[in-house]
mmCIF file of all heavy atoms in Angstrom:
data_model
loop_
_atom_site.group_PDB
_atom_site.id
_atom_site.type_symbol
_atom_site.label_atom_id
_atom_site.label_comp_id
_atom_site.label_asym_id
_atom_site.label_seq_id
_atom_site.Cartn_x
_atom_site.Cartn_y
_atom_site.Cartn_z
ATOM 1 N N LEU A 23 118.668 60.970 94.008
ATOM 2 C CA LEU A 23 117.308 61.437 93.752
ATOM 3 C C LEU A 23 116.916 62.506 94.782
ATOM 4 O O LEU A 23 116.312 63.527 94.416
ATOM 5 C CB LEU A 23 116.331 60.257 93.807
ATOM 6 C CG LEU A 23 114.848 60.605 93.638
ATOM 7 C CD1 LEU A 23 114.609 61.198 92.244
ATOM 8 C CD2 LEU A 23 114.000 59.377 93.846
ATOM 9 N N THR A 24 117.282 62.277 96.031
ATOM 10 C CA THR A 24 116.962 63.263 97.070
ATOM 11 C C THR A 24 117.662 64.588 96.774
ATOM 12 O O THR A 24 117.048 65.660 96.886
ATOM 13 C CB THR A 24 117.389 62.726 98.446
ATOM 14 O OG1 THR A 24 116.727 61.474 98.682
ATOM 15 C CG2 THR A 24 117.040 63.686 99.561
ATOM 16 N N ARG A 25 118.945 64.512 96.396
ATOM 17 C CA ARG A 25 119.682 65.745 96.084
ATOM 18 C C ARG A 25 119.051 66.453 94.880
ATOM 19 O O ARG A 25 118.929 67.677 94.858
ATOM 20 C CB ARG A 25 121.143 65.432 95.811
ATOM 21 C CG ARG A 25 121.947 65.315 97.080
ATOM 22 C CD ARG A 25 123.443 65.223 96.778
ATOM 23 N NE ARG A 25 123.844 63.909 97.248
ATOM 24 C CZ ARG A 25 124.495 62.998 96.559
ATOM 25 N NH1 ARG A 25 124.890 63.251 95.349
ATOM 26 N NH2 ARG A 25 124.801 61.835 97.062
ATOM 27 N N ALA A 26 118.655 65.665 93.876
ATOM 28 C CA ALA A 26 118.039 66.264 92.693
ATOM 29 C C ALA A 26 116.707 66.924 93.034
ATOM 30 O O ALA A 26 116.400 68.015 92.571
ATOM 31 C CB ALA A 26 117.847 65.204 91.613
ATOM 32 N N GLN A 27 115.916 66.263 93.893
ATOM 33 C CA GLN A 27 114.638 66.860 94.289
ATOM 34 C C GLN A 27 114.878 68.137 95.078
ATOM 35 O O GLN A 27 114.159 69.124 94.895
ATOM 36 C CB GLN A 27 113.849 65.851 95.138
ATOM 37 C CG GLN A 27 113.228 64.727 94.326
ATOM 38 C CD GLN A 27 112.562 63.689 95.194
ATOM 39 O OE1 GLN A 27 112.855 63.552 96.379
ATOM 40 N NE2 GLN A 27 111.659 62.937 94.596
ATOM 41 N N GLU A 28 115.873 68.143 95.959
ATOM 42 C CA GLU A 28 116.173 69.348 96.720
ATOM 43 C C GLU A 28 116.618 70.477 95.781
ATOM 44 O O GLU A 28 116.238 71.631 95.975
ATOM 45 C CB GLU A 28 117.260 69.063 97.754
ATOM 46 C CG GLU A 28 116.777 68.205 98.907
ATOM 47 C CD GLU A 28 117.902 67.761 99.822
ATOM 48 O OE1 GLU A 28 119.088 68.045 99.514
ATOM 49 O OE2 GLU A 28 117.603 67.127 100.849
ATOM 50 N N ALA A 29 117.391 70.122 94.767
ATOM 51 C CA ALA A 29 117.832 71.130 93.802
ATOM 52 C C ALA A 29 116.630 71.687 93.025
ATOM 53 O O ALA A 29 116.552 72.901 92.770
ATOM 54 C CB ALA A 29 118.866 70.528 92.847
ATOM 55 N N VAL A 30 115.706 70.809 92.662
ATOM 56 C CA VAL A 30 114.501 71.261 91.945
ATOM 57 C C VAL A 30 113.681 72.165 92.843
ATOM 58 O O VAL A 30 113.186 73.216 92.399
ATOM 59 C CB VAL A 30 113.686 70.037 91.464
ATOM 60 C CG1 VAL A 30 112.288 70.453 91.018
ATOM 61 C CG2 VAL A 30 114.410 69.341 90.318
ATOM 62 N N TRP A 31 113.530 71.777 94.104
ATOM 63 C CA TRP A 31 112.750 72.613 95.022
ATOM 64 C C TRP A 31 113.426 73.972 95.216
ATOM 65 O O TRP A 31 112.766 75.012 95.253
ATOM 66 C CB TRP A 31 112.570 71.922 96.356
ATOM 67 C CG TRP A 31 111.708 70.707 96.314
ATOM 68 C CD1 TRP A 31 110.666 70.462 95.441
ATOM 69 C CD2 TRP A 31 111.788 69.551 97.149
ATOM 70 N NE1 TRP A 31 110.120 69.231 95.694
ATOM 71 C CE2 TRP A 31 110.782 68.650 96.735
ATOM 72 C CE3 TRP A 31 112.599 69.180 98.197
ATOM 73 C CZ2 TRP A 31 110.578 67.421 97.344
ATOM 74 C CZ3 TRP A 31 112.401 67.966 98.807
ATOM 75 C CH2 TRP A 31 111.397 67.099 98.381
ATOM 76 N N ALA A 32 114.750 73.954 95.331
ATOM 77 C CA ALA A 32 115.474 75.220 95.477
ATOM 78 C C ALA A 32 115.316 76.077 94.225
ATOM 79 O O ALA A 32 115.148 77.296 94.308
ATOM 80 C CB ALA A 32 116.949 74.958 95.758
ATOM 81 N N ALA A 33 115.391 75.433 93.050
ATOM 82 C CA ALA A 33 115.218 76.163 91.801
ATOM 83 C C ALA A 33 113.805 76.745 91.694
ATOM 84 O O ALA A 33 113.637 77.872 91.231
ATOM 85 C CB ALA A 33 115.525 75.260 90.615
ATOM 86 N N GLU A 34 112.814 75.962 92.115
ATOM 87 C CA GLU A 34 111.446 76.474 92.096
ATOM 88 C C GLU A 34 111.295 77.650 93.037
ATOM 89 O O GLU A 34 110.624 78.637 92.699
ATOM 90 C CB GLU A 34 110.464 75.364 92.458
ATOM 91 C CG GLU A 34 110.283 74.331 91.373
ATOM 92 C CD GLU A 34 109.391 73.164 91.797
ATOM 93 O OE1 GLU A 34 109.024 73.099 92.998
ATOM 94 O OE2 GLU A 34 109.058 72.341 90.945
ATOM 95 N N ALA A 35 111.904 77.542 94.218
ATOM 96 C CA ALA A 35 111.840 78.659 95.175
ATOM 97 C C ALA A 35 112.559 79.869 94.596
ATOM 98 O O ALA A 35 112.087 81.002 94.710
ATOM 99 C CB ALA A 35 112.466 78.249 96.510
ATOM 100 N N GLY A 36 113.720 79.631 93.945
ATOM 101 C CA GLY A 36 114.440 80.728 93.309
ATOM 102 C C GLY A 36 113.662 81.346 92.167
ATOM 103 O O GLY A 36 113.674 82.541 91.975
ATOM 104 N N ALA A 37 112.978 80.488 91.424
ATOM 105 C CA ALA A 37 112.155 80.995 90.311
ATOM 106 C C ALA A 37 111.001 81.834 90.841
ATOM 107 O O ALA A 37 110.668 82.862 90.264
ATOM 108 C CB ALA A 37 111.633 79.840 89.452
ATOM 109 N N ALA A 38 110.416 81.387 91.960
ATOM 110 C CA ALA A 38 109.325 82.162 92.542
ATOM 111 C C ALA A 38 109.847 83.509 93.013
ATOM 112 O O ALA A 38 109.219 84.540 92.788
ATOM 113 C CB ALA A 38 108.697 81.386 93.701
ATOM 114 N N THR A 39 111.017 83.501 93.646
ATOM 115 C CA THR A 39 111.624 84.762 94.090
ATOM 116 C C THR A 39 111.975 85.622 92.875
ATOM 117 O O THR A 39 111.760 86.834 92.890
ATOM 118 C CB THR A 39 112.891 84.471 94.917
ATOM 119 O OG1 THR A 39 112.531 83.614 95.999
ATOM 120 C CG2 THR A 39 113.510 85.740 95.443
ATOM 121 N N CYS A 40 112.501 84.995 91.850
ATOM 122 C CA CYS A 40 112.847 85.723 90.624
ATOM 123 C C CYS A 40 111.603 86.320 89.982
ATOM 124 O O CYS A 40 111.618 87.466 89.514
ATOM 125 C CB CYS A 40 113.562 84.790 89.657
ATOM 126 S SG CYS A 40 114.181 85.598 88.176
ATOM 127 N N ASN A 41 110.516 85.552 89.954
ATOM 128 C CA ASN A 41 109.254 86.058 89.390
ATOM 129 C C ASN A 41 108.742 87.236 90.198
ATOM 130 O O ASN A 41 108.269 88.220 89.644
ATOM 131 C CB ASN A 41 108.205 84.957 89.341
ATOM 132 C CG ASN A 41 108.508 83.922 88.258
ATOM 133 O OD1 ASN A 41 109.275 84.181 87.354
ATOM 134 N ND2 ASN A 41 107.898 82.756 88.374
ATOM 135 N N GLN A 42 108.834 87.118 91.534
ATOM 136 C CA GLN A 42 108.384 88.231 92.382
ATOM 137 C C GLN A 42 109.251 89.455 92.134
ATOM 138 O O GLN A 42 108.759 90.583 92.060
ATOM 139 C CB GLN A 42 108.462 87.831 93.850
ATOM 140 C CG GLN A 42 107.417 86.815 94.257
ATOM 141 C CD GLN A 42 107.603 86.331 95.673
ATOM 142 O OE1 GLN A 42 108.609 86.617 96.310
ATOM 143 N NE2 GLN A 42 106.623 85.593 96.163
ATOM 144 N N THR A 43 110.563 89.249 91.992
ATOM 145 C CA THR A 43 111.472 90.361 91.718
ATOM 146 C C THR A 43 111.165 90.987 90.359
ATOM 147 O O THR A 43 111.153 92.208 90.227
ATOM 148 C CB THR A 43 112.929 89.866 91.770
ATOM 149 O OG1 THR A 43 113.165 89.251 93.023
ATOM 150 C CG2 THR A 43 113.906 91.002 91.561
ATOM 151 N N ALA A 44 110.897 90.129 89.370
ATOM 152 C CA ALA A 44 110.587 90.641 88.038
ATOM 153 C C ALA A 44 109.290 91.459 88.058
ATOM 154 O O ALA A 44 109.222 92.535 87.444
ATOM 155 C CB ALA A 44 110.454 89.485 87.048
ATOM 156 N N VAL A 45 108.299 90.972 88.785
ATOM 157 C CA VAL A 45 107.045 91.720 88.887
ATOM 158 C C VAL A 45 107.281 93.044 89.597
ATOM 159 O O VAL A 45 106.798 94.095 89.181
ATOM 160 C CB VAL A 45 105.978 90.882 89.633
ATOM 161 C CG1 VAL A 45 104.779 91.721 90.023
ATOM 162 C CG2 VAL A 45 105.540 89.718 88.777
ATOM 163 N N GLY A 46 108.094 93.003 90.664
ATOM 164 C CA GLY A 46 108.411 94.261 91.373
ATOM 165 C C GLY A 46 109.164 95.230 90.478
ATOM 166 O O GLY A 46 108.881 96.436 90.498
ATOM 167 N N LEU A 47 110.113 94.704 89.680
ATOM 168 C CA LEU A 47 110.850 95.576 88.772
ATOM 169 C C LEU A 47 109.975 96.132 87.664
ATOM 170 O O LEU A 47 110.125 97.289 87.257
ATOM 171 C CB LEU A 47 112.040 94.827 88.188
ATOM 172 C CG LEU A 47 113.192 94.519 89.152
ATOM 173 C CD1 LEU A 47 114.233 93.646 88.470
ATOM 174 C CD2 LEU A 47 113.824 95.799 89.664
ATOM 175 N N GLU A 48 109.059 95.319 87.173
ATOM 176 C CA GLU A 48 108.116 95.812 86.140
ATOM 177 C C GLU A 48 107.234 96.919 86.719
ATOM 178 O O GLU A 48 106.992 97.943 86.042
ATOM 179 C CB GLU A 48 107.262 94.666 85.628
ATOM 180 C CG GLU A 48 107.990 93.713 84.713
ATOM 181 C CD GLU A 48 107.124 92.536 84.282
ATOM 182 O OE1 GLU A 48 105.953 92.450 84.713
ATOM 183 O OE2 GLU A 48 107.624 91.707 83.521
ATOM 184 N N ASN A 49 106.774 96.743 87.958
ATOM 185 C CA ASN A 49 105.955 97.775 88.586
ATOM 186 C C ASN A 49 106.769 99.054 88.790
ATOM 187 O O ASN A 49 106.284 100.168 88.538
ATOM 188 C CB ASN A 49 105.417 97.289 89.933
ATOM 189 C CG ASN A 49 104.365 96.209 89.752
ATOM 190 O OD1 ASN A 49 103.786 96.048 88.690
ATOM 191 N ND2 ASN A 49 104.120 95.443 90.797
ATOM 192 N N ALA A 50 108.025 98.904 89.245
ATOM 193 C CA ALA A 50 108.889 100.067 89.438
ATOM 194 C C ALA A 50 109.165 100.766 88.096
ATOM 195 O O ALA A 50 109.168 101.988 88.018
ATOM 196 C CB ALA A 50 110.204 99.650 90.105
ATOM 197 N N LEU A 51 109.399 99.967 87.048
ATOM 198 C CA LEU A 51 109.634 100.546 85.722
ATOM 199 C C LEU A 51 108.407 101.310 85.224
ATOM 200 O O LEU A 51 108.536 102.417 84.677
ATOM 201 C CB LEU A 51 110.010 99.437 84.727
ATOM 202 C CG LEU A 51 110.265 99.876 83.304
ATOM 203 C CD1 LEU A 51 111.470 100.809 83.232
ATOM 204 C CD2 LEU A 51 110.481 98.658 82.409
ATOM 205 N N GLU A 52 107.251 100.757 85.419
ATOM 206 C CA GLU A 52 106.017 101.429 85.009
ATOM 207 C C GLU A 52 105.826 102.733 85.793
ATOM 208 O O GLU A 52 105.431 103.766 85.221
ATOM 209 C CB GLU A 52 104.820 100.493 85.198
ATOM 210 C CG GLU A 52 103.527 101.016 84.614
ATOM 211 C CD GLU A 52 103.613 101.249 83.114
ATOM 212 O OE1 GLU A 52 104.251 100.452 82.404
ATOM 213 O OE2 GLU A 52 103.035 102.257 82.652
ATOM 214 N N LEU A 53 106.154 102.705 87.089
ATOM 215 C CA LEU A 53 106.072 103.907 87.900
ATOM 216 C C LEU A 53 107.064 104.955 87.396
ATOM 217 O O LEU A 53 106.713 106.145 87.303
ATOM 218 C CB LEU A 53 106.339 103.558 89.372
ATOM 219 C CG LEU A 53 106.249 104.687 90.372
ATOM 220 C CD1 LEU A 53 104.814 105.243 90.422
ATOM 221 C CD2 LEU A 53 106.688 104.216 91.748
ATOM 222 N N GLU A 54 108.279 104.523 87.080
ATOM 223 C CA GLU A 54 109.293 105.450 86.545
ATOM 224 C C GLU A 54 108.836 106.039 85.208
ATOM 225 O O GLU A 54 109.051 107.208 84.934
ATOM 226 C CB GLU A 54 110.634 104.733 86.389
ATOM 227 C CG GLU A 54 111.368 104.473 87.693
ATOM 228 C CD GLU A 54 111.783 105.729 88.398
ATOM 229 O OE1 GLU A 54 112.182 106.712 87.721
ATOM 230 O OE2 GLU A 54 111.686 105.759 89.634
ATOM 231 N N ARG A 55 108.240 105.190 84.373
ATOM 232 C CA ARG A 55 107.743 105.688 83.082
ATOM 233 C C ARG A 55 106.651 106.740 83.294
ATOM 234 O O ARG A 55 106.636 107.772 82.609
ATOM 235 C CB ARG A 55 107.213 104.546 82.245
ATOM 236 C CG ARG A 55 108.269 103.681 81.644
ATOM 237 C CD ARG A 55 107.669 102.560 80.837
ATOM 238 N NE ARG A 55 108.730 101.709 80.272
ATOM 239 C CZ ARG A 55 108.515 100.521 79.794
ATOM 240 N NH1 ARG A 55 107.282 100.001 79.789
ATOM 241 N NH2 ARG A 55 109.500 99.799 79.320
ATOM 242 N N ALA A 56 105.757 106.459 84.246
ATOM 243 C CA ALA A 56 104.694 107.424 84.522
ATOM 244 C C ALA A 56 105.282 108.728 85.054
ATOM 245 O O ALA A 56 104.862 109.831 84.639
ATOM 246 C CB ALA A 56 103.703 106.835 85.533
ATOM 247 N N GLN A 57 106.277 108.626 85.933
ATOM 248 C CA GLN A 57 106.914 109.839 86.434
ATOM 249 C C GLN A 57 107.656 110.562 85.318
ATOM 250 O O GLN A 57 107.653 111.804 85.255
ATOM 251 C CB GLN A 57 107.891 109.498 87.575
ATOM 252 C CG GLN A 57 107.191 109.084 88.855
ATOM 253 C CD GLN A 57 108.182 108.680 89.936
ATOM 254 O OE1 GLN A 57 109.364 108.532 89.697
ATOM 255 N NE2 GLN A 57 107.658 108.501 91.159
ATOM 256 N N GLY A 58 108.289 109.784 84.419
ATOM 257 C CA GLY A 58 108.965 110.401 83.275
ATOM 258 C C GLY A 58 107.992 111.148 82.374
ATOM 259 O O GLY A 58 108.278 112.225 81.887
ATOM 260 N N ARG A 59 106.796 110.556 82.151
ATOM 261 C CA ARG A 59 105.777 111.244 81.344
ATOM 262 C C ARG A 59 105.308 112.519 82.036
ATOM 263 O O ARG A 59 105.109 113.555 81.385
ATOM 264 C CB ARG A 59 104.601 110.298 81.085
ATOM 265 C CG ARG A 59 104.900 109.216 80.068
ATOM 266 C CD ARG A 59 103.646 108.456 79.660
ATOM 267 N NE ARG A 59 103.079 107.686 80.753
ATOM 268 C CZ ARG A 59 103.334 106.406 81.009
ATOM 269 N NH1 ARG A 59 104.153 105.740 80.228
ATOM 270 N NH2 ARG A 59 102.767 105.795 82.024
ATOM 271 N N GLN A 60 105.158 112.446 83.370
ATOM 272 C CA GLN A 60 104.751 113.636 84.109
ATOM 273 C C GLN A 60 105.822 114.720 84.015
ATOM 274 O O GLN A 60 105.511 115.912 83.815
ATOM 275 C CB GLN A 60 104.471 113.303 85.582
ATOM 276 C CG GLN A 60 103.217 112.491 85.813
ATOM 277 C CD GLN A 60 103.067 112.077 87.260
ATOM 278 O OE1 GLN A 60 103.976 112.237 88.069
ATOM 279 N NE2 GLN A 60 101.894 111.536 87.599
#
């Protein structure tokens, strides 16, 4: 149970990092699109 909880916590931390990365990539993509339109 302890190992499973640690794995869940690690997955949640990874998901949070993944979400932050996805948000950063979406922002970068939007910036690139704006630059492409310019």
Side-chain angles (χ1 to χ4, degrees):
L23 177 63
T24 303
R25 278 189 244 128
Q27 285 175 339
E28 288 172 355
V30 167
W31 293 331
E34 287 175 353
T39 304
C40 185
N41 288 342
Q42 290 174 351
T43 304
V45 168
L47 289 175
E48 286 176 0
N49 290 341
L51 179 63
E52 189 60 39
L53 182 64
E54 286 295 323
R55 285 179 182 164
Q57 288 177 350
R59 286 190 294 266
Q60 288 175 350

